[in-house]
Amino acid sequence: MKTHITFLLLSGLGGIAFAQNPTSDPNTLMNLGRFDEAKHMLTQKAEQNPGMQTYFDAGYGYLKAGQPDSARIWFEKGISMDEKRVPLNETGAAITYLVKNDMANADAKLTTVVDKSKGKNADILYRIGEAYTGYLTPGNGSIKPVYPKAVNATKALDFLNRASERDKKNASIQLALGDANYLNKDAGTAVSRYESALEMGMDPSRVYQRIGDIYWQGRNLNLAVENYKKAIEANPSYGPAYNQLAELYFLVNRYKDAANYMDQYVSATHDNRQATLLRQAQFHFLAKDFKRAVNLIDSNSTALGQNPIVYRIKGWAYSSLKEPQKAIENINTFLEKAPEKAMPDDYKYLGRAYMETDSASDDSLGAVFLAKAAPFDTTENLYSDIAKYYYRTKKHPEAVAMLDSAAKHGFKSDVQDLFRYGMSNYTLGFQRDTAGKLVRDTVRFALADSALALAQKGAPDYAPTVLYRAKANYYAYTPEEAVLNGKAKPYFEQFISMVGDKEEERKRYKKDLVLAFKYLIAYNDLVAHDEAAQKEWLQKGLSYFPDNKDLAKIASSDEENTAETDSTKQ
């Protein structure tokens, strides 16, 4: 389910201040993931001051941004300006073939630039070695190469070690060596190289973020968090660390922290890409800040355009906010615009929204949608929700079927589920044959008693549970059989003790109490042969219901029997 924006401008959260240190350094902008700004600055500089380095830098900006064809245009412009022993732009052009996996061109061209530089220029060796790392880039909870097909850890280490031998104090080379060792599955050496880069003056925020990434990939999340926070302390505008923290907290289900750091990421980087805006809204939804999720989407409607996912997030949020009509409207719009992307949770939130309306027909439709989602939801027992609807509408076979499905899917029944299961089976115990004659379904009554027994353990003071245990054991048999087997006796006794002394409850359960008294009187007469107990239950029943004809008739019959007995004795 919960698959992101300039935070301060949208939320007005008090008490949070972000450093907004402006920077005119394109390398820093690239490290922050702000490639469009970096490219603009680099190309502008190349146009104003054409030269070997400026053309290379412009091409490099496009290369790091994942646009090798555009990068090659700038590199080729600069080739004529390369120095004889420093074919920098020619190296850049060769690398564009490497990252596109055009090895026929890449191998020959790379060999040429190494030969031209006599294999002795540290910058040329470094650029080639870095290219073989694929340009590792952090984001969305991982550190991945921009160009996976270019990755060759062995070649990267070879070129970068050669470069390091010729320029031992170059922090950029050390950072790239850290990346190469990471790709070579040598995390310990990778961290050592990153630390060397830090000692040589590399931007600490970038280094700490890289170290955090290594620890994350090794699942040492505490050390990952520690290093990301060090990166932020070093530079509060360093966006990648905020992003990684957001994704890390998302991974461990700390959604409020994830949302908070995603907000800070957006504030630091001004990243208004659709994916980022949707991710931010998603995190706030998962953090149960549903209004914030909706407000983020509405406030960024232009940037988000017609992306159908916005309707999904808003629909789910409105469903959780108990605004069913808005939820129904948005989720249905999503399903109309992107039916191929429909997932079970869409139907879950849609079903719940329909059930929140005041319309009986919508309730029925809600049950249909929940039924589509229920088999796929492993965290929420949607079968219970559906069963509740069917129970309320007296569709007892359907209610039982839903609760049976819940059990088959591994959901543990709560007290209410057990009570409904018991009561639905109890109701279904009264069947009619083809002639319309009442037929007792003993299996249904047994199922009812079993479920109600479990419900009673969970809520021992709930009188209806005890009552219907008594009635299930009573109506499963003919009246005479029910009295003789005595199965209903303890529950009738318990029920009377629970409600008999409460006037309002006596009024509510008058018929049931009378049945209980009649049962216990008969039991003590026919089974226990306990005349004293029989009279005690009769007197108690009459004290509660002096006008009840059945109890009065029993009392009258007892008096006649007593008189006959006395007459016989005379």
Side-chain angles (χ1 to χ4, degrees), residues 89-103:
N89 283 283
E90 191 174 351
T91 300
I95 288 171
T96 63
Y97 290 100
L98 170 64
V99 299
K100 294 191 72 173
N101 203 34
D102 182 354
M103 302 313 296

Side-chain angles (χ1 to χ4, degrees), residues 344 369-378 380 382-383 386 405 409 411:
F369 284 122
L370 286 179
K372 292 180 71 172
F376 305 97
D377 199 313
T378 59
E380 294 188 77
L382 300 183
Y383 294 106
I386 304 168
S405 293
H409 284 81
F411 289 107

Side-chain angles (χ1 to χ4, degrees), residues 412-419 449-463 465-466 469 494 498:
K412 185 178 179 180
S413 298
D414 62 19
V415 171
Q416 291 183 334
D417 288 334
L418 291 166
F419 183 78
D449 183 51
S450 296
L452 292 171
L454 293 172
Q456 187 178 2
K457 289 181 180 180
D461 297 326
Y462 190 57
T465 304
V466 178
R469 288 201 70 187
Q494 186 179 1
M498 295 175 80

Side-chain angles (χ1 to χ4, degrees), residues 259-276:
N260 176 47
Y261 279 109
M262 183 58 78
D263 287 339
Q264 294 185 64
Y265 166 72
V266 171
S267 178
T269 63
H270 309 291
D271 183 351
N272 65 350
R273 291 173 298 171
Q274 278 195 12
T276 303

Side-chain angles (χ1 to χ4, degrees), residues 1-3 277-278 280-286 289-302 304-335 337 345-346 349-350 353:
M1 199 174 22
K2 318 191 187 153
T3 339
L277 301 178
L278 291 172
Q280 187 181 25
Q282 176 194 7
F283 284 180
H284 279 283
F285 172 84
L286 292 170
D289 192 349
F290 306 118
K291 287 186 178 180
R292 172 88 171 117
V294 170
N295 289 339
L296 283 169
I297 291 172
D298 288 343
S299 299
N300 290 278
S301 57
T302 301
L304 290 168
Q306 296 300 310
N307 191 319
I309 297 298
V310 302
Y311 297 104
R312 166 185 279 164
I313 296 175
K314 287 179 68 174
W316 291 12
Y318 279 127
S319 180
S320 300
L321 287 167
K322 307 299 182 186
E323 296 187 48
Q325 293 301 335
K326 290 181 179 179
I328 292 167
E329 178 184 341
N330 277 279
I331 297 174
N332 279 329
T333 299
F334 167 75
L335 294 172
K337 289 180 174 291
D345 275 1
D346 294 319
Y349 286 104
L350 185 59

Side-chain angles (χ1 to χ4, degrees), residues 31-328:
N31 295 335
L32 294 173
R34 292 159 61 177
F35 292 109
D36 287 342
E37 295 171 71
K39 288 185 298 183
H40 175 74
M41 293 178 67
L42 291 168
T43 54
Q44 189 177 52
K45 188 174 181 180
E47 289 167 350
Q48 293 173 349
N49 301 290
M52 179 182 75
Q53 192 64 51
T54 56
Y55 278 125
F56 177 83
D57 290 342
Y60 187 69
Y62 280 97
L63 188 65
K64 291 289 292 290
Q67 298 173 271
D69 291 333
S70 297
R72 188 181 302 160
I73 293 172
W74 287 98
F75 290 139
E76 288 178 345
K77 285 183 179 181
I79 289 176
S80 62
M81 298 183 180
D82 283 349
E83 296 175 10
K84 183 177 180 181
R85 300 296 183 193
V86 188
L88 186 59
N89 283 283
E90 191 174 351
T91 300
I95 288 171
T96 63
Y97 290 100
L98 170 64
V99 299
K100 294 191 72 173
N101 203 34
D102 182 354
M103 302 313 296
N105 278 302
D107 288 340
K109 292 179 182 295
L110 289 171
T111 299
T112 297
V113 297
V114 171
D115 289 344
K116 283 187 177 181
S117 62
K118 302 295 185 180
K120 296 179 179 180
N121 186 281
D123 198 22
I124 300 298
L125 295 169
Y126 157 60
R127 299 297 180 177
I128 297 173
E130 185 189 30
Y132 277 116
T133 69
Y135 304 102
L136 283 183
T137 302
N140 296 335
S142 66
I143 176 169
K144 295 180 180 179
V146 176
Y147 303 102
K149 292 182 179 179
V151 172
N152 187 318
T154 301
K155 288 186 177 181
L157 287 168
D158 176 40
F159 280 99
L160 290 168
N161 280 322
R162 288 158 63 188
S164 180
E165 289 173 4
R166 296 188 171 279
D167 190 352
K168 299 183 184 299
K169 299 297 182 181
N170 189 310
S172 295
I173 294 174
Q174 294 301 311
L175 189 77
L177 271 167
D179 291 348
N181 278 284
Y182 165 72
L183 292 167
N184 200 41
K185 303 186 185 306
D186 186 353
T189 303
V191 171
S192 295
R193 290 297 191 176
Y194 292 145
E195 290 172 343
S196 294
L198 184 62
E199 292 170 2
M200 293 176 189
M202 174 63 70
D203 173 14
S205 56
R206 188 178 180 191
V207 176
Y208 286 128
Q209 169 257 307
R210 271 293 204 273
I211 295 174
D213 292 337
I214 294 292
Y215 282 123
W216 187 347
Q217 301 311 307
R219 287 296 183 263
N220 193 332
L221 301 185
N222 288 332
L223 282 176
V225 169
E226 180 182 318
N227 279 278
Y228 291 142
K229 289 184 176 179
K230 284 182 179 179
I232 292 168
E233 288 171 7
N235 179 3
S237 294
Y238 189 70
Y242 291 114
N243 182 268
Q244 295 296 75
L245 278 168
E247 294 293 341
L248 188 152
Y249 282 121
F250 167 73
L251 177 71
V252 297
N253 302 328
R254 288 176 55 176
Y255 299 126
K256 288 185 178 180
D257 289 320
N260 176 47
Y261 279 109
M262 183 58 78
D263 287 339
Q264 294 185 64
Y265 166 72
V266 171
S267 178
T269 63
H270 309 291
D271 183 351
N272 65 350
R273 291 173 298 171
Q274 278 195 12
T276 303
L277 301 178
L278 291 172
R279 194 71 167 159
Q280 187 181 25
Q282 176 194 7
F283 284 180
H284 279 283
F285 172 84
L286 292 170
K288 301 188 184 303
D289 192 349
F290 306 118
K291 287 186 178 180
R292 172 88 171 117
V294 170
N295 289 339
L296 283 169
I297 291 172
D298 288 343
S299 299
N300 290 278
S301 57
T302 301
L304 290 168
Q306 296 300 310
N307 191 319
I309 297 298
V310 302
Y311 297 104
R312 166 185 279 164
I313 296 175
K314 287 179 68 174
W316 291 12
Y318 279 127
S319 180
S320 300
L321 287 167
K322 307 299 182 186
E323 296 187 48
Q325 293 301 335
K326 290 181 179 179
I328 292 167

